Amino acid sequence: MKPGVLVVEDDPKTAELIRLYLDRDGYPVMVARNGREGLEFARRQPIGLVLLDVMLPEMDGFDVCRLLRQESDVGIILVTARAAEVDTLRALDLGADDYVTKPFRPRELVARVRAVLRRKGVNGQPSETRVMQFRDLTIDERRHEVRLCGRDAGVTRKEFQLLVTMANEPGKAFTRLELVEKAFGFNYEGLERTVDAHIRNLRKKIERDAGRPVYIETVYGLGYRFAENLDAQ
């Protein structure tokens, strides 16, 4: 059975349109009309993903996203008429898995729901998780932990997603846009510039010498890759 989807949308017509298309695709759908109701519903009910409007009564979607992400790893897609780059970046920083602007195409929205649930491994079958070992670096996908010499490296959620994306394919060169799409789920070129900042922070946390990285290599003119032949297990 497919996981439930919570639609938090104060416009009845938009909520019904989303519900109709998700129902056709086999998803159980619940609807909340304001941010506070949506937050409480998500806390009480087992759901796989939240489709969350930004401009909501009582509590806006950014606040709901922030609070939900502090409490769980549930999928979150923000759906909003606000298309400014600053809003998209804020959504990413708050931990949203995708950001869709209105007006949207319902079938594309459903496809994005499927993609987020697939990445999170809650679309019927749990995704395979494992512990990867590269010399002194341990990446535990189930626990969402990265340890260097046995100590917690303190990586953020987005840093973890970037690292896992690259470590799952050592030696593969990723462009910045590919990393944005694969690690964050956002199909938006304006976020490419954030990848460099995340990589810099990652290197400070997992490299013995951030100026001479062993694990994350720069592919000049293209992007980044995780080094090969590091005795992965």
Side-chain angles (χ1 to χ4, degrees), residues 11-90:
D11 179 64
K13 291 183 179 179
T14 302
E16 178 59 21
L17 177 66
I18 295 173
R19 189 204 62 76
L20 177 64
Y21 274 83
L22 286 171
D23 183 69
R24 286 179 180 175
D25 213 53
Y27 291 100
V29 182
M30 297 134 281
V31 177
R33 299 300 185 188
N34 63 66
R36 194 170 302 280
E37 180 185 358
L39 179 62
E40 293 305 315
F41 199 105
R43 286 169 167 167
R44 293 195 310 266
Q45 302 293 328
I47 56 175
L49 184 139
V50 181
L51 280 170
L52 181 61
D53 190 18
V54 170
M55 293 178 284
L56 290 166
E58 298 195 27
M59 180 184 295
D60 73 31
F62 288 131
D63 284 338
V64 176
C65 179
R66 175 178 54 81
L67 292 169
L68 279 178
R69 185 53 73 228
Q70 290 173 357
E71 301 170 7
S72 77
D73 195 41
V74 66
I76 301 174
I77 299 178
L78 289 178
V79 185
T80 178
R82 295 168 61 165
E85 179 179 342
V86 64
D87 293 320
T88 310
L89 292 171
R90 184 181 179 190

Side-chain angles (χ1 to χ4, degrees), residues 107-127:
R107 287 178 182 154
E108 180 184 346
L109 181 62
V110 174
R112 287 174 179 263
V113 167
R114 288 197 297 264
V116 169
L117 289 171
R118 187 167 56 246
R119 287 198 303 273
K120 288 183 170 293
V122 291
N123 205 14
Q125 293 290 334
S127 62

